[in-house]
Amino acid sequence: MSLEHSLPLLRGKISAPSLPEILVPRPRLESSVRDRLGALPVLVVCASAGAGKTTAVRTALRDEPQVAWLTLDAADASPGRLLTYIAAALAPFSPNLTELVQHAMAAQAPHGEIAGLLIESLFGEVPTTLVLDQLERVAPHPKAMEVIDHLVGFAPANVKIILISRTAITLPSSAPPGSERLDYLIDRELAFTPQEAVVALQQAGGSTDDVDAVMRATGGWVVGVLFAGTTAEPIRMALQPEIDPLHAYLWAHVLQGLNDELRDFAITTSLLVSVDAQRATALGLERTERFLTELRAHRIPAVWAPGGKSVRYHPVLRDYLLVLLERRPRAEVVALRLKFGRLLASEGFLIEATEELLAIEALAEALPYAEQAIETLIDRRDYDVADRWLEELADFGQAGLSPLTVAELMLCVAREEYWRGVRIADQLAALGQREALARSSSRAAAMMIWCYYHACRTEDMAEIQGVAPPGPELDAANGLLTLIDSRDVAALSPYGSASGQVDGLLARLRYWRGMLAEASAPTQNPATEAVVVPWRVAALRAVGELEQAHRLYARVEAAGMITAGLLAVVGAELYMDMGRESDSRRCIEAGRLEARRLGSVVWDLFSQLSEAKLELRLVRDPIRARQVLDGLELEPLARVYQSTAEQIDTWHGLSHLMLGEYESARYRLQRAVASMRESGRVLELPTAAVYLAEVAWHCKDDEAADTASDEAMAAARAQGTDEVLLRALREFPEVLSRRLDSLADGDTDWHRLGGRLLNESTPQVLSSSVVVQLHEFGAPQILVGDTEVRPRIAKSYELLAYFASIGEKTVTRQQLLDALFDGRDTNASKSYLRQVVHQLRSVLPEGVGPFITNDAIAFADHVSIESEAARFEQIAQRSQSNDPRRRDHEIKVALGAFDQGGYLPKAKSLWIDNRREQLLGAATALRLEAARLAFEQGSFARADKFARAVLSEEPLREAAWRLRMRTAAAIGSSDDVLTIYTECVTAITAIGAEPARETRMLLEQLR
C-alpha cells in the first residue's frame, strides 16, 4: 500500500508552480542556475521575499526531464510529514519509493536513515532535480533540517537538489571535511539589471523614464522595481499600518484593487491551500462561485487551474492574507478555523485537522480525530507532535481504554522510556482496566509486556499474556519470555511480516538466542535493514567481522540510534574485541546511566556483565571481575531471568578457572551449560562449554571434558558460525589439542578448526572514515566510495596492493624497494618510487596519502585500505558461517572473483610472483573445501570436479584423492575407487614417498 492510499496528500504542495503570464527573459540567470548545478550537486537560492527566487529556478528547469517540486509550509517541520511529502514529490520517478518510505517509517527507522534510503533510491542514469521551496518555513526546526541534511549528504551523482529560502540556512553535516557540495545564489545576482528592469516595467505598464533612479532606490529588488516604477504617487502608509515593504506593495497593487466583499473573500479563503467553490462554502461563505469568477478577472499573484474553477494564491500573497485574517476579532477567527478543521477532517486530513483544532483549543472537537491519527504520527516517528497531543488532551477521553492510551504505550516503547510504560500499566491496574485494555488490543498488551520485561516483572507479564488476543506484536513480545525460562520456543517470524517495532524485537531475539548466521546477514528490504542494523552490529561482532561491525556501529551512532542496550552490550563488546579498553569502559558507563534513566533493569544488569567480561577477557583480571559479579548477584533481580543467570554463572566460572578454583568453576559452568542446553539459548554456549571442558580436564574427568567439547561444537553448528567457539579455543587452546589427540579420523570439524587456528593472523581493526578499495583480479580498479580513480602510473596499483597485503598503514622505503623493484636500491628506483607515491596521492582525496616522511611511506590514520585479494584470503582462512549452504555460496562468490583474471596481471616482480602463489594456494584450499561441501550435500559430480581441479594444481594433495575415492564409492563405482587410488600412488611414489596410512585404510573400507 502506498503512502498516497494511507495518508491523504495536499496535491498542490507537490506540483511545480506555473510560470507567470508575463515573464521577463533572463538568460543570464537561467545559465547561472544550470552552470552552478553542473558544478556542484546542491544549490541554495537564498534571497528576500519578492526577489524572484521561485520564478528564476522554475524557468531554469523548464526543459529538465525529471523535476520534483515541494513547496513547504510550517507543518512540514514534523520530519515524518516532511518525508511523506518528499516521497510523494519524487514518486513519479521511482515507482517503489513511497512503499519504501512507508515500510521504513513502520520499521521505526530514524528519519535521517529514511531520507538517505529515499534519495539513494533515485540512483541511475537519468538526471533528477529535487526542489524544496520556502525552506525558511522549517529552517528553525533541527529535526526537519536533519532530514534535508541527509538528503544532501546521500544524494547520488545523478540527483541535484535546490533549496529555496528567504533566510540563511545551515546544514549540520552534509559535506565531509575538505569537500564542496553546496553553491549559493543570493539577492545580488537575482536582482534586475537595468535592461531587465526596463522590460519588466514595460510589461507591467509602468514608466521607464528614469530607470537609473529606480535602480538606485531599489538595488534591483524585483518587487521594489515594480513598486517604485509603477506607483504614480507614494503609497498612503497612514491608511494601512504595514511596515513590510512587500506587504505595502501587495496592499497597494493587489488588495486595494478589490472591492470590500472580494477582499474579505480572499482573506477568509487564505486558510485553504487550494480554493474552490465547494471548500469556500464549507468555511461558511456564500456566492462562492461568483466571487471566484470576479477574482479571476483581477490580476493577482495566483495560479488558476484550467477552467478557472480553483486557485492557489502565491505563497507571498497567502502569507499576507493570513496576517490580515489574524487581525479580525478573536471569536470570528476561532469560528472560522473551527469550520476549517472540520473541513480538513471530512477530506481525510486527520492530522492537519487535529492540529488546527488544538491551535484554537477546541479540545473536545479534536479528540476523535486525534484518536484516529496519533498512531500514524508515532509510526512515522513524529514523537514530539504526539507528545504535545497527549499533553493537551490529557483531561479528555475515556481513561484507560482510549486509543490515546495505546498510543502513549507505543511512544514509551519507541523511546525506550520503560519506567513511563510501567507507570501507565500500573495506573491501569489500579483502576482495574489493565486486563481490559490487554483484551481489547494485542498491540497494547505487547507494549505493556515489553515495559514489564525491562523491569523484570514476570508475574505482570504472565497476567497480561493470559488475556491478550493473538497478534504479531504479541507474538514478538512473547519471544522475550523465552529469555526468562526454558519454555518452548516458537519459530521467529520473518522480517517485514509486521511493524517496525516487531522487526526490531525479532532482530534482538535472533541475536540473544544465538542465531548468529541469520542475525548477521543483511535483509532484502532496505527499510527493514534500517531498524535491524543495530543488532546486526552485535551479530557481526560475534562472528568476527569487526571492521564491518565497527562501520555499521558508527553509522548507527551517527543516525542517533544508540540506546542503552547498544551501549552497554553491543558497543562495549565491540570495543572489547577490538582491544580498545577505554572506549569499552565508556560505553559500559554510558549504557548503565542510560539504562537507569529509562528504567531498564535488564540493561543495567547487562552493563555489569559487560564490565565483568571486560575484566576477564581483555584485562585478564579475575579478582576485579569477581568483585563486579559479586556486586551484581547482590541485586535482588539479578537471577530472575535464566538468560541473565547463565551469563553470571559463565563469567563467574571463568574467574574461578583463571584462579585455579576448579570445583567452584565446575559447579558454575555445569549450571550455565545445562540451562543453555535446556532452553536452546546458544549465544554463549560454545564459550561456556569450552570453559567447562578445560575445568573437567583439571578435575581429571576426561570423558566429561570430551562431552563438553562436543557440546561446544554442536552449539557452534546451531549458531551457524565457528567464531564464538574459536574465540574460546584461543583462550584455552589445550581443549582443542586434547580433542584432536582423541580422534582417529583426520578429516573432522575439529581438524578443520585446528587448521584455522594455526593459519590465522590477528586481524587489524581500523577506525576509518575514508575507505579505499582495491580490486586486483583481472583489470585492476581503485575505488574511493563508489568512484573509480585512475592513477597514470601502473605501479601505483602495486604499491596499494602491497599495503593491503600486509595490513599496515606505514612501511619503510626499503620494504617497497624490495617488493616493487626486486630490491634495487638505486637513485633511479628511488625516484620512480617517489613518482609512484605522488601519482597515487594525487588521485586520492586530500589528506589520505600516501605521504613520504623520513624513510617511511604512510597513509593517514583515518584511512582503511580494503583489498579484494585480502578478502579472498580471509574467506579461505575462515568461514563467516558453518552452515554448509551459506559457506558453499561464500566460496562460490570468492572463487568467482578470483577467476575473473590473474592477480595484477600486468605487474612483474618477485613479490608479485610470490603473492600469486599465495593466492593460488588459497584458491586450491577453497576448491578442496567446496569439493567436501558438495560431497556432504550429495552433489557427487560437482565434488569430483572440484577435487580434480585441486589435483591439477597440487597432485600430492592426498585429501583430494581420498575425496575422489569416496565420491566414486558413493555412486557405486568400485572400479573407479581402485583406479583413483592407483593414480594417487603413482603421484606420491614419483617423489619417493608412499600414500598415508589414512589413504590406505580408506581403500580397504571402500573395497
Side-chain angles (χ1 to χ4, degrees), residues 790-807:
R790 296 186 177 92
R792 291 195 300 272
I793 300 178
K795 211 136 188 102
S796 297
Y797 293 92
E798 295 177 50
L799 184 145
L800 191 59
Y802 182 79
F803 273 92
S805 70
I806 64 172

Side-chain angles (χ1 to χ4, degrees), residues 18 83 100 118 126 153 228 240 245 287 430 447 493 509 514 591 634 674 806 815 823 861 886 965 1003 1005:
S18 301
L83 282 165
L100 169 69
L118 183 156
V126 181
Q240 288 293 330
R287 297 174 294 164
M447 300 301 109
S493 303
L509 288 172
L634 292 176
I806 64 172
Q815 283 178 280
D861 287 339
R886 290 177 184 269
M965 291 166 64
L1003 176 65
Q1005 294 170 13

Side-chain angles (χ1 to χ4, degrees), residues 16-17 30 58 63 66 183 311 462 478 518 562 737:
E30 294 175 30
R58 181 71 180 85
D63 295 327
Q66 293 190 171
D183 200 351
V311 63
N478 285 342
E518 189 174 346
I562 293 295
S737 297

Side-chain angles (χ1 to χ4, degrees), residues 1-3 87 94-105 525 527:
M1 183 172 61
S2 73
L3 285 172
S94 182
N96 298 321
L97 191 147
T98 50
E99 185 178 1
L100 169 69
V101 173
Q102 184 185 40
H103 284 319
M105 286 181 174
N525 187 324

